[in-house]
Amino acid sequence: MANIDDLLGAPDPNDGDPGSFAIGDAPVEIKVVIGTAMLRVRDLLKLGRGAVVELDRQLKDPTDVYVEGVLVARGEVAIIDDKIGVTLTDFIKSSREWKR
């Protein structure tokens, strides 16, 4: 299995932009999970507008950041103006260790 560095090729020391490689334009799915919950279908069907679903994490707990289904980092929820984002605080694996 090739790692991401093999796919990108050797970086050009004169080019400081890693996104300049052709693969740099490929879209990837990023998911940020603030928590999970397990509900029975009958309870799910009872939910309506304004319902609150309790998650398995505390407010102070870090979020999990997944890239293409692989856990790669943890972070904290950040609110900037009217948008929600995540500040990355810990990286789980380096690109050389990512495996499916």
Side-chain angles (χ1 to χ4, degrees):
M1 174 176 287
N3 69 39
I4 193 70
D5 295 327
D6 293 337
L7 295 172
L8 290 174
D12 181 351
N14 299 322
D15 186 7
D17 181 14
S20 65
F21 297 104
I23 196 168
D25 292 331
V28 293
E29 179 182 62
I30 298 174
K31 289 184 181 179
V32 178
V33 178
I34 60 170
T36 59
M38 186 72 84
L39 294 173
R40 290 181 174 17
V41 172
R42 69 174 163 254
D43 296 330
L44 179 64
L45 294 172
K46 292 178 187 175
L47 294 178
R49 181 175 293 227
V52 175
V53 176
E54 186 175 341
L55 303 176
D56 62 349
R57 296 197 185 168
Q58 302 294 315
L59 189 59
K60 65 183 184 297
D61 290 344
T63 61
D64 292 333
V65 179
Y66 292 86
V67 175
E68 293 297 328
V70 177
L71 177 64
V72 297
R74 291 216 164 82
E76 298 172 350
V77 173
I79 299 174
I80 302 169
D81 296 325
D82 62 343
K83 305 221 178 201
I84 299 173
V86 63
T87 301
L88 302 179
T89 57
D90 296 303
F91 287 89
I92 305 302
K93 297 182 178 185
S94 73
S95 64
R96 297 188 183 278
E97 297 171 321
W98 289 356
K99 290 188 173 71
R100 282 195 164 250

